[in-house]
Amino acid sequence: MPAPLEPRYTLKDVVDRARVAISTASLVFSGKRPVAEPTRERVLEAAADLDYGGPNPLASSLQQGRSGIIGVFAKGRLMNSFSDPFAVSILDGLAQHLGQNSAGILLMPAQGAGQDELVRRTAGIPLDAVVFPLGGYVSSALLEHLRHRRIPLVGTGYPEADDVLHLRMGERGAARAIAQHLYDLGHRDVALIQLPGAKPNAQGDVMNPEALDRTAGFLEVFPDALVITAGESSSEGGYEASERLFSDSHSVTAIAAQSDLMAVGAVRSIRAHGLSTPADISVAGSDGIDLPWLVGTLTTIDQRGQEKGRTIADMVTSALAGTRENREHSFTLVQGTSTDAPPQHAHA
Amino acid sequence: MPAPLEPRYTLKDVVDRARVAISTASLVFSGKRPVAEPTRERVLEAAADLDYGGPNPLASSLQQGRSGIIGVFAKGRLMNSFSDPFAVSILDGLAQHLGQNSAGILLMPAQGAGQDELVRRTAGIPLDAVVFPLGGYVSSALLEHLRHRRIPLVGTGYPEADDVLHLRMGERGAARAIAQHLYDLGHRDVALIQLPGAKPNAQGDVMNPEALDRTAGFLEVFPDALVITAGESSSEGGYEASERLFSDSHSVTAIAAQSDLMAVGAVRSIRAHGLSTPADISVAGSDGIDLPWLVGTLTTIDQRGQEKGRTIADMVTSALAGTRENREHSFTLVQGTSTDAPPQHAHA
DNA sequence: CTGAAAGCGCTTACAG
DNA sequence: CTGAAAGCGCTTACAG
């Protein structure tokens, strides 16, 4: 059995022992103004004697009106959000940059819990700002709660609202670029594997609004593209969607997926049918994740997730400093070895 | 440009408007004691008029001596920790269970930052407890800091210290079980792909102490096993480690990897050499993650990550309620299709 | 450089 | 059921 925890002392206890004013002791720990060395030492010594753990963050935060905590909203369950390396890379950039500004990241999974439940949980947590780095649907009750608390909100396009700062990427233009690339290679019969949640669910909520933009951009170039919606944005989701294509014996020379993970699934599916990429069917993705184990490289829209995370972090710190402004995130069309001109004779 | 944020009101403002005592208004929001309906309504109305966002969590937490925030320590960068589905599943279970107890998860990445830097960041954050769900090395400075703050600590074996509660799994026994399984199938020439960080680094820190236990358990059954250390616990790391085996033309009939991800890499490497699993070389992993896209199933030690996360969460809430005790996490040897008897004649 | 006072925004006994 | 008071553990002007 582990040892029980000893009682926790406060700055008051330290002060009693060191025989200094509490205001002076406070300065020793914050370092905000100079303290004579002997005094400083007396305080530090008393603190050491008591095993004082430093000023209670709850108390100093209350005073300073800032908790140092940034909420990060993850749509659905963590396992779903974080199974995508792209999401993790955004989070990584976010954590790194925010950490440098000594702020911590608090995960807010939307998982299971009803709207009221989610609000109740959030209400108890001190938050300086909340970030929606992964897009997706956010319950209006939660949004309303955060608004009431006057918490700066930063998103990547969604939720759409005037009071949410956005780092926008131009999903539509990016999707158009991929489509145009395929078109320029000579493809005419193409399929688009769409992210799940593009259509309103039973409650009328669109889970992945960015999917709509991506689809719209793609259809600008290929109005007749075959659109299939994947069950989930994963390799399996892409595989399964691609299989549907084969079983309906559609004839396409290229498949564009709205995420790299789904694109990988499509490549596997093509291979499983004895065909190859890009010789028989070209495949393009979207996001720009590392896929070291893929044979060749994927043609995709590189969004540089880490940089995206860093920019979001920057928007947060700026907003807390008083500068609230939207930004634009650029993308790059990366031409990999997964796309090429279509074969002379298209096949089933 | 987004609209600027309006000023935030306090309970005092609401009270002035509703003409009630502040203590009464507090009860309306906490619901801890009954308030007459008309009074209640007056308060709520005033709150609505002012767009009051509810009691400031910082203030109520200070009073109640609890922040509702549980720190989760991730070794290294988030991208590394979270690229393993097993780590994510633990986190998922943790978040779910902790969420039900209305506590939030704060990510504490060890990334880059020096020890002092890490402590400084942590010092500013209100934490009810800290969890080390992924094992691994924790800087003694950080540990010391948390100790001073009298924060309950929960780990999965590491860091080893009397004041850290542990959910232990018996890594050694689990590794022995895998080894015994291979032995019983008839294997005699085997290789072990070891997790990185099993050996002390330049600073003398062991990054993955559990690797030591796993290796020890394995060697109990196969004292002469060929041990190779992977560069990282990923599919690529396993692939590369397995390749080294081939290039040194070692002859083994089975490869055991200390993580499923590395096992998958080994399978790929074997396939790349024109051999197959388990016909030519058996492969076993460890952890028990979902690998739906693997052909067949992996023989492994199933640790049920989500359940592990839930148990850790339970230990945290128990500790906060005053019951501090270690627990044991069970494992299951799952026999998949990746292991079988060795071929009649072993090959290079 | 140091100290006494006020206050951050709440909640919790305690009277009534 | 409601209110006045004390206090959670600090930090920040303000004097000295």
Side-chain angles (χ1 to χ4, degrees), chain B residues 213-272:
Chain B
D213 296 330
R214 292 186 184 178
T215 302
F218 194 84
L219 294 181
E220 281 181 32
V221 178
F222 291 112
D224 300 325
L226 195 63
V227 180
I228 1 174
T229 304
E232 55 174 46
S233 179
S234 61
S235 176
E236 295 76 56
Y239 186 93
E240 183 272 332
S242 173
E243 286 296 305
R244 264 185 278 156
L245 212 60
F246 281 106
S247 66
D248 293 355
S249 57
H250 285 295
S251 158
V252 299
T253 61
I255 299 177
Q258 289 180 341
S259 80
D260 287 348
L261 246 25
M262 296 194 301
V264 167
V267 170
R268 286 196 302 115
S269 154
I270 290 165
R271 205 176 290 157

Short mmCIF file of all heavy atoms in Angstrom, two decimals, chain B residues 213-272:
data_model
loop_
_atom_site.label_atom_id
_atom_site.label_comp_id
_atom_site.label_asym_id
_atom_site.label_seq_id
_atom_site.Cartn_x
_atom_site.Cartn_y
_atom_site.Cartn_z
N ASP B 213 11.53 -5.62 -18.62
CA ASP B 213 10.77 -6.73 -18.05
C ASP B 213 10.32 -7.71 -19.12
O ASP B 213 10.37 -8.92 -18.95
CB ASP B 213 9.54 -6.19 -17.31
CG ASP B 213 9.93 -5.34 -16.12
OD1 ASP B 213 10.99 -5.59 -15.54
OD2 ASP B 213 9.16 -4.42 -15.78
N ARG B 214 9.89 -7.13 -20.24
CA ARG B 214 9.43 -8.00 -21.32
C ARG B 214 10.58 -8.86 -21.85
O ARG B 214 10.41 -10.03 -22.15
CB ARG B 214 8.83 -7.16 -22.45
CG ARG B 214 7.54 -6.50 -22.06
CD ARG B 214 6.87 -5.79 -23.22
NE ARG B 214 5.67 -5.09 -22.73
CZ ARG B 214 4.88 -4.36 -23.48
NH1 ARG B 214 5.13 -4.20 -24.76
NH2 ARG B 214 3.81 -3.78 -22.96
N THR B 215 11.72 -8.22 -21.98
CA THR B 215 12.87 -8.97 -22.47
C THR B 215 13.26 -10.07 -21.48
O THR B 215 13.49 -11.22 -21.86
CB THR B 215 14.07 -8.03 -22.70
OG1 THR B 215 13.67 -7.01 -23.63
CG2 THR B 215 15.26 -8.78 -23.26
N ALA B 216 13.28 -9.72 -20.22
CA ALA B 216 13.66 -10.69 -19.19
C ALA B 216 12.72 -11.89 -19.22
O ALA B 216 13.17 -13.05 -19.17
CB ALA B 216 13.63 -10.03 -17.82
N GLY B 217 11.43 -11.63 -19.34
CA GLY B 217 10.45 -12.71 -19.37
C GLY B 217 10.67 -13.62 -20.57
O GLY B 217 10.60 -14.85 -20.48
N PHE B 218 10.96 -12.99 -21.70
CA PHE B 218 11.15 -13.76 -22.94
C PHE B 218 12.39 -14.65 -22.83
O PHE B 218 12.38 -15.81 -23.23
CB PHE B 218 11.28 -12.80 -24.12
CG PHE B 218 11.16 -13.47 -25.45
CD1 PHE B 218 9.90 -13.71 -26.01
CD2 PHE B 218 12.29 -13.88 -26.16
CE1 PHE B 218 9.77 -14.33 -27.23
CE2 PHE B 218 12.16 -14.52 -27.38
CZ PHE B 218 10.91 -14.74 -27.93
N LEU B 219 13.44 -14.04 -22.27
CA LEU B 219 14.71 -14.77 -22.16
C LEU B 219 14.65 -15.93 -21.17
O LEU B 219 15.49 -16.83 -21.20
CB LEU B 219 15.85 -13.81 -21.79
CG LEU B 219 16.20 -12.76 -22.86
CD1 LEU B 219 17.35 -11.88 -22.41
CD2 LEU B 219 16.52 -13.43 -24.20
N GLU B 220 13.66 -15.91 -20.30
CA GLU B 220 13.51 -17.03 -19.37
C GLU B 220 13.24 -18.31 -20.14
O GLU B 220 13.71 -19.38 -19.78
CB GLU B 220 12.35 -16.78 -18.40
CG GLU B 220 12.71 -15.84 -17.25
CD GLU B 220 11.53 -15.67 -16.30
OE1 GLU B 220 10.74 -16.63 -16.13
OE2 GLU B 220 11.40 -14.55 -15.76
N VAL B 221 12.46 -18.17 -21.22
CA VAL B 221 12.13 -19.33 -22.03
C VAL B 221 13.17 -19.57 -23.12
O VAL B 221 13.55 -20.69 -23.41
CB VAL B 221 10.73 -19.16 -22.66
CG1 VAL B 221 10.41 -20.37 -23.56
CG2 VAL B 221 9.68 -18.99 -21.59
N PHE B 222 13.63 -18.46 -23.73
CA PHE B 222 14.64 -18.56 -24.80
C PHE B 222 15.91 -17.79 -24.42
O PHE B 222 16.12 -16.67 -24.89
CB PHE B 222 14.09 -17.97 -26.11
CG PHE B 222 13.00 -18.77 -26.74
CD1 PHE B 222 11.70 -18.26 -26.79
CD2 PHE B 222 13.25 -20.02 -27.29
CE1 PHE B 222 10.68 -18.98 -27.40
CE2 PHE B 222 12.24 -20.75 -27.90
CZ PHE B 222 10.94 -20.24 -27.95
N PRO B 223 16.76 -18.40 -23.60
CA PRO B 223 17.95 -17.68 -23.12
C PRO B 223 18.86 -17.26 -24.28
O PRO B 223 19.60 -16.29 -24.17
CB PRO B 223 18.66 -18.71 -22.24
CG PRO B 223 17.65 -19.77 -21.97
CD PRO B 223 16.70 -19.79 -23.11
N ASP B 224 18.79 -17.99 -25.40
CA ASP B 224 19.68 -17.70 -26.51
C ASP B 224 19.01 -16.89 -27.62
O ASP B 224 19.54 -16.78 -28.72
CB ASP B 224 20.22 -19.01 -27.10
CG ASP B 224 20.99 -19.79 -26.05
OD1 ASP B 224 21.66 -19.14 -25.22
OD2 ASP B 224 20.91 -21.04 -26.08
N ALA B 225 17.85 -16.36 -27.33
CA ALA B 225 17.14 -15.59 -28.36
C ALA B 225 18.01 -14.44 -28.86
O ALA B 225 18.78 -13.85 -28.11
CB ALA B 225 15.82 -15.05 -27.82
N LEU B 226 17.83 -14.16 -30.13
CA LEU B 226 18.55 -13.05 -30.76
C LEU B 226 17.76 -11.77 -30.44
O LEU B 226 16.61 -11.63 -30.84
CB LEU B 226 18.54 -13.30 -32.26
CG LEU B 226 19.48 -12.52 -33.14
CD1 LEU B 226 20.93 -12.85 -32.77
CD2 LEU B 226 19.20 -12.88 -34.59
N VAL B 227 18.37 -10.86 -29.70
CA VAL B 227 17.63 -9.65 -29.34
C VAL B 227 18.08 -8.46 -30.19
O VAL B 227 19.26 -8.11 -30.21
CB VAL B 227 17.85 -9.31 -27.84
CG1 VAL B 227 17.08 -8.05 -27.48
CG2 VAL B 227 17.41 -10.49 -26.97
N ILE B 228 17.12 -7.86 -30.91
CA ILE B 228 17.44 -6.66 -31.68
C ILE B 228 16.57 -5.53 -31.14
O ILE B 228 15.40 -5.74 -30.82
CB ILE B 228 17.08 -6.78 -33.18
CG1 ILE B 228 16.45 -8.17 -33.47
CG2 ILE B 228 18.27 -6.52 -34.07
CD1 ILE B 228 15.96 -8.27 -34.87
N THR B 229 17.15 -4.36 -31.06
CA THR B 229 16.38 -3.23 -30.54
C THR B 229 15.91 -2.36 -31.69
O THR B 229 16.71 -1.95 -32.53
CB THR B 229 17.25 -2.40 -29.57
OG1 THR B 229 17.74 -3.26 -28.55
CG2 THR B 229 16.42 -1.29 -28.95
N ALA B 230 14.63 -2.12 -31.73
CA ALA B 230 14.05 -1.30 -32.81
C ALA B 230 14.35 0.18 -32.57
O ALA B 230 14.63 0.59 -31.45
CB ALA B 230 12.54 -1.52 -32.89
N GLY B 231 14.30 0.94 -33.65
CA GLY B 231 14.56 2.37 -33.53
C GLY B 231 13.35 3.10 -32.97
O GLY B 231 13.45 4.10 -32.28
N GLU B 232 12.17 2.58 -33.28
CA GLU B 232 10.95 3.15 -32.71
C GLU B 232 9.85 2.11 -32.70
O GLU B 232 9.88 1.17 -33.50
CB GLU B 232 10.50 4.39 -33.50
CG GLU B 232 10.32 4.14 -34.98
CD GLU B 232 9.72 5.35 -35.70
OE1 GLU B 232 10.19 6.47 -35.44
OE2 GLU B 232 8.77 5.15 -36.48
N SER B 233 8.90 2.28 -31.80
CA SER B 233 7.81 1.31 -31.70
C SER B 233 6.74 1.62 -32.72
O SER B 233 5.70 2.16 -32.41
CB SER B 233 7.20 1.33 -30.30
OG SER B 233 6.14 0.39 -30.26
N SER B 234 7.05 1.27 -33.95
CA SER B 234 6.09 1.52 -35.03
C SER B 234 6.25 0.41 -36.04
O SER B 234 7.16 -0.42 -35.94
CB SER B 234 6.40 2.86 -35.70
OG SER B 234 7.70 2.82 -36.25
N SER B 235 5.38 0.42 -37.02
CA SER B 235 5.48 -0.57 -38.08
C SER B 235 6.83 -0.43 -38.78
O SER B 235 7.51 -1.42 -39.06
CB SER B 235 4.33 -0.36 -39.06
OG SER B 235 4.44 -1.24 -40.14
N GLU B 236 7.23 0.81 -39.01
CA GLU B 236 8.51 1.05 -39.67
C GLU B 236 9.67 0.54 -38.81
O GLU B 236 10.62 -0.05 -39.32
CB GLU B 236 8.73 2.55 -39.93
CG GLU B 236 7.74 3.15 -40.89
CD GLU B 236 6.39 3.37 -40.23
OE1 GLU B 236 6.33 4.06 -39.20
OE2 GLU B 236 5.39 2.83 -40.73
N GLY B 237 9.58 0.81 -37.52
CA GLY B 237 10.62 0.36 -36.61
C GLY B 237 10.76 -1.16 -36.63
O GLY B 237 11.87 -1.71 -36.61
N GLY B 238 9.62 -1.85 -36.67
CA GLY B 238 9.64 -3.30 -36.69
C GLY B 238 10.17 -3.82 -38.01
O GLY B 238 10.92 -4.81 -38.06
N TYR B 239 9.78 -3.13 -39.08
CA TYR B 239 10.23 -3.52 -40.41
C TYR B 239 11.74 -3.46 -40.49
O TYR B 239 12.42 -4.40 -40.87
CB TYR B 239 9.61 -2.58 -41.44
CG TYR B 239 9.88 -2.96 -42.87
CD1 TYR B 239 8.98 -3.76 -43.56
CD2 TYR B 239 11.02 -2.53 -43.52
CE1 TYR B 239 9.21 -4.12 -44.88
CE2 TYR B 239 11.27 -2.88 -44.84
CZ TYR B 239 10.37 -3.68 -45.52
OH TYR B 239 10.60 -4.04 -46.81
N GLU B 240 12.24 -2.32 -40.07
CA GLU B 240 13.67 -2.05 -40.16
C GLU B 240 14.46 -3.05 -39.28
O GLU B 240 15.49 -3.58 -39.68
CB GLU B 240 13.92 -0.60 -39.75
CG GLU B 240 15.33 -0.10 -39.85
CD GLU B 240 16.10 -0.37 -38.58
OE1 GLU B 240 15.44 -0.42 -37.50
OE2 GLU B 240 17.31 -0.57 -38.66
N ALA B 241 13.94 -3.32 -38.09
CA ALA B 241 14.62 -4.27 -37.19
C ALA B 241 14.65 -5.65 -37.82
O ALA B 241 15.67 -6.37 -37.77
CB ALA B 241 13.91 -4.30 -35.85
N SER B 242 13.54 -6.02 -38.43
CA SER B 242 13.45 -7.32 -39.06
C SER B 242 14.40 -7.43 -40.25
O SER B 242 15.03 -8.46 -40.49
CB SER B 242 12.00 -7.56 -39.50
OG SER B 242 11.90 -8.75 -40.25
N GLU B 243 14.51 -6.32 -40.97
CA GLU B 243 15.43 -6.29 -42.11
C GLU B 243 16.87 -6.56 -41.68
O GLU B 243 17.63 -7.24 -42.37
CB GLU B 243 15.36 -4.92 -42.81
CG GLU B 243 14.10 -4.72 -43.64
CD GLU B 243 14.02 -5.70 -44.80
OE1 GLU B 243 14.98 -5.75 -45.60
OE2 GLU B 243 13.02 -6.44 -44.90
N ARG B 244 17.22 -5.99 -40.53
CA ARG B 244 18.57 -6.21 -40.02
C ARG B 244 18.82 -7.70 -39.81
O ARG B 244 19.90 -8.22 -40.06
CB ARG B 244 18.73 -5.47 -38.68
CG ARG B 244 19.37 -4.09 -38.82
CD ARG B 244 19.60 -3.48 -37.46
NE ARG B 244 18.39 -2.85 -36.94
CZ ARG B 244 18.16 -2.65 -35.65
NH1 ARG B 244 19.04 -3.07 -34.74
NH2 ARG B 244 17.04 -2.08 -35.25
N LEU B 245 17.78 -8.38 -39.36
CA LEU B 245 17.84 -9.82 -39.14
C LEU B 245 18.20 -10.52 -40.44
O LEU B 245 19.09 -11.37 -40.50
CB LEU B 245 16.45 -10.28 -38.67
CG LEU B 245 16.36 -11.44 -37.72
CD1 LEU B 245 17.10 -11.12 -36.45
CD2 LEU B 245 14.87 -11.68 -37.41
N PHE B 246 17.49 -10.14 -41.51
CA PHE B 246 17.72 -10.76 -42.80
C PHE B 246 19.11 -10.44 -43.34
O PHE B 246 19.79 -11.31 -43.87
CB PHE B 246 16.65 -10.29 -43.80
CG PHE B 246 15.34 -11.00 -43.63
CD1 PHE B 246 14.26 -10.36 -43.06
CD2 PHE B 246 15.20 -12.33 -44.03
CE1 PHE B 246 13.05 -11.01 -42.90
CE2 PHE B 246 14.00 -12.99 -43.88
CZ PHE B 246 12.91 -12.33 -43.30
N SER B 247 19.50 -9.19 -43.21
CA SER B 247 20.77 -8.80 -43.81
C SER B 247 21.96 -9.44 -43.09
O SER B 247 23.02 -9.64 -43.66
CB SER B 247 20.91 -7.27 -43.84
OG SER B 247 20.99 -6.79 -42.53
N ASP B 248 21.75 -9.76 -41.82
CA ASP B 248 22.81 -10.47 -41.11
C ASP B 248 22.67 -11.97 -41.34
O ASP B 248 23.36 -12.77 -40.73
CB ASP B 248 22.76 -10.18 -39.61
CG ASP B 248 23.10 -8.73 -39.31
OD1 ASP B 248 23.46 -8.01 -40.26
OD2 ASP B 248 23.00 -8.32 -38.14
N SER B 249 21.74 -12.31 -42.23
CA SER B 249 21.38 -13.69 -42.55
C SER B 249 21.33 -14.61 -41.33
O SER B 249 21.96 -15.65 -41.28
CB SER B 249 22.31 -14.27 -43.63
OG SER B 249 23.66 -14.20 -43.23
N HIS B 250 20.57 -14.14 -40.37
CA HIS B 250 20.30 -15.00 -39.22
C HIS B 250 19.17 -15.95 -39.58
O HIS B 250 18.29 -15.62 -40.35
CB HIS B 250 19.86 -14.13 -38.04
CG HIS B 250 20.98 -13.41 -37.41
ND1 HIS B 250 22.02 -14.03 -36.76
CD2 HIS B 250 21.24 -12.08 -37.32
CE1 HIS B 250 22.87 -13.15 -36.32
NE2 HIS B 250 22.42 -11.93 -36.64
N SER B 251 19.20 -17.10 -39.00
CA SER B 251 18.16 -18.06 -39.31
C SER B 251 17.24 -18.28 -38.11
O SER B 251 17.63 -18.89 -37.13
CB SER B 251 18.84 -19.38 -39.71
OG SER B 251 17.96 -20.44 -39.52
N VAL B 252 16.06 -17.74 -38.23
CA VAL B 252 15.08 -17.92 -37.16
C VAL B 252 13.78 -18.44 -37.74
O VAL B 252 13.49 -18.25 -38.92
CB VAL B 252 14.80 -16.61 -36.40
CG1 VAL B 252 16.07 -16.07 -35.74
CG2 VAL B 252 14.18 -15.58 -37.33
N THR B 253 12.99 -19.08 -36.90
CA THR B 253 11.68 -19.56 -37.36
C THR B 253 10.55 -18.76 -36.75
O THR B 253 9.39 -18.94 -37.10
CB THR B 253 11.48 -21.05 -36.99
OG1 THR B 253 11.54 -21.17 -35.55
CG2 THR B 253 12.57 -21.91 -37.62
N ALA B 254 10.90 -17.87 -35.83
CA ALA B 254 9.85 -17.03 -35.23
C ALA B 254 10.44 -15.70 -34.77
O ALA B 254 11.60 -15.64 -34.36
CB ALA B 254 9.21 -17.74 -34.04
N ILE B 255 9.63 -14.67 -34.89
CA ILE B 255 10.01 -13.34 -34.41
C ILE B 255 8.94 -12.87 -33.44
O ILE B 255 7.75 -12.89 -33.76
CB ILE B 255 10.12 -12.32 -35.56
CG1 ILE B 255 11.20 -12.76 -36.57
CG2 ILE B 255 10.42 -10.93 -35.04
CD1 ILE B 255 11.31 -11.85 -37.79
N ALA B 256 9.38 -12.48 -32.25
CA ALA B 256 8.44 -11.90 -31.29
C ALA B 256 8.78 -10.42 -31.18
O ALA B 256 9.94 -10.06 -31.03
CB ALA B 256 8.57 -12.57 -29.94
N ALA B 257 7.77 -9.58 -31.28
CA ALA B 257 8.01 -8.14 -31.15
C ALA B 257 7.32 -7.65 -29.88
O ALA B 257 6.28 -8.18 -29.49
CB ALA B 257 7.47 -7.40 -32.37
N GLN B 258 7.93 -6.65 -29.26
CA GLN B 258 7.37 -6.17 -27.99
C GLN B 258 6.24 -5.17 -28.17
O GLN B 258 5.81 -4.52 -27.20
CB GLN B 258 8.49 -5.59 -27.12
CG GLN B 258 9.41 -6.68 -26.58
CD GLN B 258 10.52 -6.14 -25.71
OE1 GLN B 258 10.84 -4.96 -25.76
NE2 GLN B 258 11.11 -7.02 -24.90
N SER B 259 5.76 -5.00 -29.39
CA SER B 259 4.53 -4.24 -29.62
C SER B 259 3.89 -4.74 -30.90
O SER B 259 4.59 -5.24 -31.79
CB SER B 259 4.82 -2.73 -29.71
OG SER B 259 5.31 -2.38 -30.99
N ASP B 260 2.60 -4.62 -30.99
CA ASP B 260 1.90 -5.09 -32.18
C ASP B 260 2.34 -4.35 -33.43
O ASP B 260 2.46 -4.92 -34.51
CB ASP B 260 0.38 -4.93 -31.99
CG ASP B 260 -0.17 -5.94 -31.02
OD1 ASP B 260 0.55 -6.90 -30.69
OD2 ASP B 260 -1.33 -5.78 -30.59
N LEU B 261 2.54 -3.06 -33.24
CA LEU B 261 2.95 -2.24 -34.38
C LEU B 261 4.25 -2.75 -34.98
O LEU B 261 4.40 -2.89 -36.20
CB LEU B 261 3.13 -0.78 -33.90
CG LEU B 261 2.20 0.32 -34.41
CD1 LEU B 261 0.86 -0.19 -34.88
CD2 LEU B 261 2.04 1.42 -33.37
N MET B 262 5.21 -3.06 -34.12
CA MET B 262 6.48 -3.60 -34.62
C MET B 262 6.29 -4.98 -35.23
O MET B 262 6.94 -5.32 -36.22
CB MET B 262 7.51 -3.66 -33.48
CG MET B 262 7.88 -2.30 -32.91
SD MET B 262 9.36 -2.31 -31.87
CE MET B 262 8.92 -3.46 -30.58
N ALA B 263 5.37 -5.75 -34.68
CA ALA B 263 5.10 -7.08 -35.23
C ALA B 263 4.58 -6.96 -36.66
O ALA B 263 4.97 -7.73 -37.55
CB ALA B 263 4.09 -7.82 -34.35
N VAL B 264 3.73 -5.98 -36.89
CA VAL B 264 3.20 -5.77 -38.22
C VAL B 264 4.34 -5.45 -39.19
O VAL B 264 4.37 -5.94 -40.32
CB VAL B 264 2.17 -4.61 -38.21
CG1 VAL B 264 1.85 -4.16 -39.62
CG2 VAL B 264 0.91 -5.03 -37.48
N GLY B 265 5.27 -4.66 -38.72
CA GLY B 265 6.42 -4.32 -39.55
C GLY B 265 7.23 -5.57 -39.90
O GLY B 265 7.70 -5.74 -41.03
N ALA B 266 7.36 -6.45 -38.93
CA ALA B 266 8.09 -7.69 -39.16
C ALA B 266 7.38 -8.54 -40.21
O ALA B 266 8.02 -9.10 -41.12
CB ALA B 266 8.23 -8.47 -37.86
N VAL B 267 6.08 -8.60 -40.12
CA VAL B 267 5.30 -9.36 -41.10
C VAL B 267 5.56 -8.80 -42.50
O VAL B 267 5.78 -9.55 -43.47
CB VAL B 267 3.79 -9.31 -40.78
CG1 VAL B 267 2.98 -9.89 -41.93
CG2 VAL B 267 3.49 -10.06 -39.48
N ARG B 268 5.55 -7.49 -42.61
CA ARG B 268 5.77 -6.86 -43.92
C ARG B 268 7.16 -7.17 -44.44
O ARG B 268 7.36 -7.44 -45.62
CB ARG B 268 5.58 -5.34 -43.81
CG ARG B 268 4.13 -4.92 -43.69
CD ARG B 268 3.97 -3.43 -43.99
NE ARG B 268 4.79 -2.62 -43.11
CZ ARG B 268 5.80 -1.89 -43.51
NH1 ARG B 268 6.12 -1.84 -44.79
NH2 ARG B 268 6.51 -1.19 -42.63
N SER B 269 8.12 -7.13 -43.54
CA SER B 269 9.49 -7.40 -43.93
C SER B 269 9.64 -8.83 -44.44
O SER B 269 10.29 -9.11 -45.45
CB SER B 269 10.41 -7.15 -42.74
OG SER B 269 11.59 -7.91 -42.83
N ILE B 270 9.01 -9.74 -43.75
CA ILE B 270 9.08 -11.16 -44.14
C ILE B 270 8.49 -11.34 -45.54
O ILE B 270 9.05 -12.02 -46.39
CB ILE B 270 8.31 -12.03 -43.11
CG1 ILE B 270 9.09 -12.05 -41.80
CG2 ILE B 270 8.06 -13.43 -43.65
CD1 ILE B 270 8.30 -12.56 -40.60
N ARG B 271 7.35 -10.66 -45.73
CA ARG B 271 6.68 -10.76 -47.01
C ARG B 271 7.56 -10.18 -48.12
O ARG B 271 7.62 -10.70 -49.23
CB ARG B 271 5.34 -10.00 -46.92
CG ARG B 271 4.31 -10.49 -47.91
CD ARG B 271 3.00 -9.78 -47.69
NE ARG B 271 2.34 -10.17 -46.45
CZ ARG B 271 1.45 -9.42 -45.81
NH1 ARG B 271 1.12 -8.23 -46.29
NH2 ARG B 271 0.88 -9.85 -44.70
N ALA B 272 8.24 -9.09 -47.78
CA ALA B 272 9.10 -8.43 -48.76
C ALA B 272 10.24 -9.34 -49.21
O ALA B 272 10.82 -9.15 -50.29
CB ALA B 272 9.66 -7.13 -48.19
#
